[in-house]
Coordinates of all heavy atoms in Angstrom, one line a residue:
A320 N 118.5 47.4 1.5 CA 117.8 48.7 1.3 C 117.5 49.3 2.6 O 117.7 50.5 2.8 CB 116.6 48.5 0.4
R321 N 117.0 48.5 3.5 CA 116.6 49.1 4.9 C 117.9 49.6 5.6 O 117.8 50.7 6.2 CB 116.0 48.0 5.7 CG 115.5 48.5 7.0 CD 114.6 47.5 7.8 NE 115.3 46.2 8.1 CZ 115.2 45.1 7.5 NH1 114.2 45.0 6.5 NH2 115.9 44.1 7.8
R322 N 119.0 48.8 5.5 CA 120.2 49.3 6.1 C 120.7 50.6 5.5 O 121.1 51.5 6.3 CB 121.3 48.3 6.0 CG 122.6 48.7 6.8 CD 123.7 47.7 6.6 NE 124.8 48.2 7.3 CZ 126.1 47.9 6.9 NH1 126.3 47.1 5.9 NH2 127.1 48.4 7.6
A323 N 120.6 50.8 4.2 CA 121.1 52.0 3.5 C 120.3 53.2 4.0 O 120.8 54.2 4.3 CB 121.0 51.8 2.0
V324 N 118.9 53.0 4.2 CA 118.1 54.0 4.6 C 118.4 54.3 6.1 O 118.4 55.5 6.5 CB 116.6 53.7 4.4 CG1 115.7 54.8 5.0 CG2 116.3 53.6 2.9
T325 N 118.5 53.3 6.9 CA 118.8 53.5 8.3 C 120.1 54.3 8.5 O 120.1 55.2 9.4 CB 118.9 52.1 9.0 OG1 117.6 51.4 8.9 CG2 119.1 52.3 10.5
V326 N 121.1 53.9 7.8 CA 122.4 54.6 7.9 C 122.2 56.1 7.5 O 122.7 57.0 8.2 CB 123.5 54.0 7.1 CG1 124.7 54.8 7.0 CG2 123.8 52.6 7.7
L327 N 121.4 56.4 6.5 CA 121.2 57.7 6.0 C 120.5 58.5 7.1 O 120.8 59.6 7.5 CB 120.3 57.7 4.8 CG 119.9 59.1 4.3 CD1 121.0 60.0 4.0 CD2 118.9 59.0 3.2
L328 N 119.4 57.9 7.7 CA 118.6 58.6 8.8 C 119.5 58.9 9.9 O 119.3 59.9 10.6 CB 117.4 57.7 9.1 CG 116.4 57.6 8.1 CD1 115.3 56.6 8.6 CD2 115.7 58.9 7.7
S329 N 120.5 58.1 10.2 CA 121.4 58.3 11.3 C 122.4 59.5 11.0 O 122.6 60.3 11.8 CB 122.2 57.1 11.7 OG 123.1 57.3 12.7
A330 N 122.8 59.4 9.7 CA 123.9 60.3 9.3 C 123.3 61.8 9.2 O 124.0 62.8 9.6 CB 124.5 59.9 8.0
V331 N 122.0 61.9 8.7 CA 121.5 63.3 8.5 C 121.3 64.0 9.8 O 121.0 65.2 9.8 CB 120.2 63.2 7.8 CG1 120.4 62.6 6.3 CG2 119.1 62.4 8.5
R332 N 121.4 63.4 10.9 CA 121.3 64.0 12.2 C 122.7 64.7 12.7 O 122.7 65.4 13.6 CB 120.9 63.0 13.3 CG 119.5 62.5 13.1 CD 119.0 61.6 14.3 NE 117.7 61.0 14.1 CZ 117.6 59.8 13.7 NH1 118.6 59.0 13.4 NH2 116.3 59.3 13.5
T333 N 123.7 64.5 11.9 CA 125.0 65.0 12.2 C 125.4 66.2 11.2 O 125.1 66.0 10.0 CB 126.0 63.9 12.1 OG1 126.2 63.5 10.8 CG2 125.7 62.7 13.0
G334 N 126.0 67.2 11.7 CA 126.4 68.3 10.9 C 127.4 68.0 9.8 O 127.3 68.4 8.7
P335 N 128.5 67.1 10.1 CA 129.4 66.8 9.1 C 128.8 66.2 7.8 O 129.3 66.5 6.7 CB 130.3 65.8 9.8 CG 130.3 66.2 11.2 CD 128.8 66.6 11.4
F336 N 127.8 65.5 8.0 CA 127.2 64.8 6.8 C 126.7 65.9 5.8 O 126.9 65.9 4.6 CB 126.0 63.9 7.1 CG 125.2 63.4 5.9 CD1 125.7 62.3 5.3 CD2 124.1 64.1 5.5 CE1 125.0 61.8 4.2 CE2 123.4 63.6 4.4 CZ 123.9 62.4 3.7
W337 N 126.0 67.0 6.3 CA 125.5 68.0 5.5 C 126.6 68.8 4.8 O 126.5 69.2 3.6 CB 124.5 68.9 6.2 CG 123.3 68.2 6.6 CD1 122.9 67.7 7.9 CD2 122.2 67.8 5.8 NE1 121.7 67.1 7.8 CE2 121.2 67.1 6.5 CE3 122.0 67.9 4.4 CZ2 120.1 66.6 6.0 CZ3 120.8 67.4 3.9 CH2 119.9 66.8 4.7
L338 N 127.6 69.1 5.6 CA 128.8 69.8 5.0 C 129.5 69.0 3.9 O 129.8 69.5 2.8 CB 129.7 70.2 6.0 CG 129.2 71.1 7.1 CD1 130.2 71.3 8.3 CD2 129.1 72.5 6.4
L339 N 129.7 67.7 4.2 CA 130.3 66.9 3.2 C 129.4 66.6 1.9 O 129.9 66.7 0.8 CB 130.7 65.5 3.8 CG 131.8 65.5 4.9 CD1 131.9 64.1 5.6 CD2 133.1 65.8 4.3
A340 N 128.1 66.4 2.2 CA 127.2 66.3 1.1 C 127.2 67.6 0.2 O 127.1 67.5 -1.0 CB 125.8 65.9 1.6
G341 N 127.1 68.7 0.9 CA 127.1 70.0 0.2 C 128.3 70.3 -0.7 O 128.2 70.7 -1.8
T342 N 129.5 70.0 -0.1 CA 130.7 70.3 -0.8 C 130.8 69.3 -2.0 O 131.2 69.6 -3.1 CB 132.0 70.1 0.1 OG1 132.0 68.8 0.7 CG2 132.0 71.2 1.1
F343 N 130.4 68.0 -1.8 CA 130.5 67.1 -2.8 C 129.5 67.3 -3.9 O 129.7 66.9 -5.1 CB 130.4 65.7 -2.2 CG 131.4 64.7 -2.8 CD1 132.8 65.0 -2.9 CD2 131.1 63.4 -3.1 CE1 133.7 64.2 -3.4 CE2 132.0 62.5 -3.6 CZ 133.3 62.9 -3.7
A344 N 128.3 67.9 -3.6 CA 127.4 68.3 -4.6 C 128.0 69.3 -5.6 O 127.8 69.2 -6.8 CB 126.1 68.8 -4.0
I345 N 128.7 70.2 -5.0 CA 129.3 71.2 -5.8 C 130.5 70.7 -6.6 O 130.7 71.1 -7.8 CB 129.9 72.4 -4.9 CG1 128.6 73.2 -4.3 CG2 130.7 73.4 -5.7 CD1 129.0 74.1 -3.2
C346 N 131.1 69.6 -6.0 CA 132.2 69.0 -6.8 C 131.6 68.3 -8.0 O 132.2 68.4 -9.1 CB 132.8 67.9 -5.9 SG 134.1 66.9 -6.7
G347 N 130.5 67.6 -7.8 CA 129.9 67.0 -9.0 C 129.4 68.0 -10.1 O 129.5 67.7 -11.2
A348 N 128.8 69.1 -9.6 CA 128.3 70.1 -10.5 C 129.5 70.7 -11.3 O 129.3 70.9 -12.5 CB 127.7 71.3 -9.6
S349 N 130.7 70.8 -10.8 CA 131.7 71.4 -11.5 C 132.6 70.5 -12.2 O 133.6 70.9 -13.0 CB 132.6 72.2 -10.5 OG 133.1 71.4 -9.5
T350 N 132.3 69.1 -12.2 CA 133.1 68.2 -12.9 C 132.2 67.4 -13.8 O 132.1 67.7 -15.0 CB 133.9 67.2 -11.9 OG1 132.9 66.7 -11.0 CG2 135.0 67.9 -11.2
N351 N 131.5 66.3 -13.4 CA 130.7 65.6 -14.3 C 129.6 66.3 -14.9 O 129.2 66.1 -16.1 CB 130.1 64.4 -13.4 CG 131.1 63.5 -12.8 OD1 131.6 63.8 -11.7 ND2 131.5 62.5 -13.4
G352 N 128.9 67.2 -14.1 CA 127.8 68.0 -14.7 C 128.2 69.0 -15.6 O 127.5 69.2 -16.6
L353 N 129.3 69.7 -15.4 CA 129.7 70.9 -16.2 C 130.8 70.5 -17.2 O 130.5 70.4 -18.4 CB 130.3 71.9 -15.3 CG 130.7 73.2 -15.9 CD1 129.5 73.9 -16.6 CD2 131.4 74.1 -14.9
I354 N 132.0 70.2 -16.8 CA 133.1 69.9 -17.8 C 132.9 68.7 -18.6 O 133.0 68.7 -19.8 CB 134.4 69.9 -17.0 CG1 134.7 71.2 -16.3 CG2 135.6 69.5 -18.0 CD1 134.8 72.4 -17.3
Q355 N 132.6 67.6 -17.9 CA 132.4 66.3 -18.6 C 131.3 66.3 -19.6 O 131.4 65.7 -20.7 CB 132.3 65.2 -17.7 CG 132.4 63.8 -18.4 CD 132.6 62.7 -17.4 OE1 131.8 62.5 -16.4 NE2 133.6 61.9 -17.5
T356 N 130.2 66.9 -19.3 CA 129.0 67.0 -20.1 C 129.0 68.2 -21.1 O 128.7 67.9 -22.3 CB 127.7 67.1 -19.3 OG1 127.7 66.1 -18.3 CG2 126.5 67.1 -20.1
H357 N 129.5 69.3 -20.8 CA 129.3 70.4 -21.7 C 130.6 71.1 -22.1 O 130.5 72.0 -23.0 CB 128.5 71.6 -20.8 CG 127.2 71.2 -20.5 ND1 126.2 71.0 -21.5 CD2 126.5 70.9 -19.3 CE1 125.0 70.7 -20.9 NE2 125.2 70.6 -19.6
F358 N 131.8 70.6 -21.8 CA 133.0 71.2 -22.3 C 133.1 71.0 -23.8 O 133.5 71.9 -24.6 CB 134.2 70.6 -21.6 CG 135.6 71.1 -22.1 CD1 136.0 72.4 -21.7 CD2 136.3 70.4 -23.1 CE1 137.2 72.9 -22.3 CE2 137.5 70.9 -23.6 CZ 137.9 72.1 -23.2
I359 N 132.9 69.8 -24.3 CA 133.0 69.5 -25.8 C 132.0 70.4 -26.6 O 132.5 71.0 -27.5 CB 132.9 68.0 -26.0 CG1 134.1 67.3 -25.4 CG2 132.8 67.8 -27.6 CD1 134.0 65.8 -25.6
P360 N 130.8 70.4 -26.3 CA 129.9 71.3 -27.1 C 130.2 72.7 -26.9 O 130.1 73.5 -27.9 CB 128.5 70.9 -26.6 CG 128.7 70.2 -25.3 CD 130.0 69.5 -25.4

């Protein structure tokens, strides 16, 4: 658990992490959150 948090604290200091996290958040919103959950209803 400590290593996972340590790696995160190191990664958040870099710009690419935020860009990759932001794009992937939108990826999840438009797939698992939207189509997979709400397409059928």
Side-chain angles (χ1 to χ4, degrees):
R321 183 172 62 254
R322 185 184 175 208
V324 174
T325 301
V326 170
L327 172 65
L328 293 177
S329 176
V331 296
R332 297 187 180 98
T333 66
F336 175 82
W337 292 105
L338 293 169
L339 291 169
T342 55
F343 225 42
I345 294 171
C346 179
S349 56
T350 53
N351 302 86
L353 182 63
I354 298 295
Q355 190 166 53
T356 303
H357 293 293
F358 177 80
I359 292 176

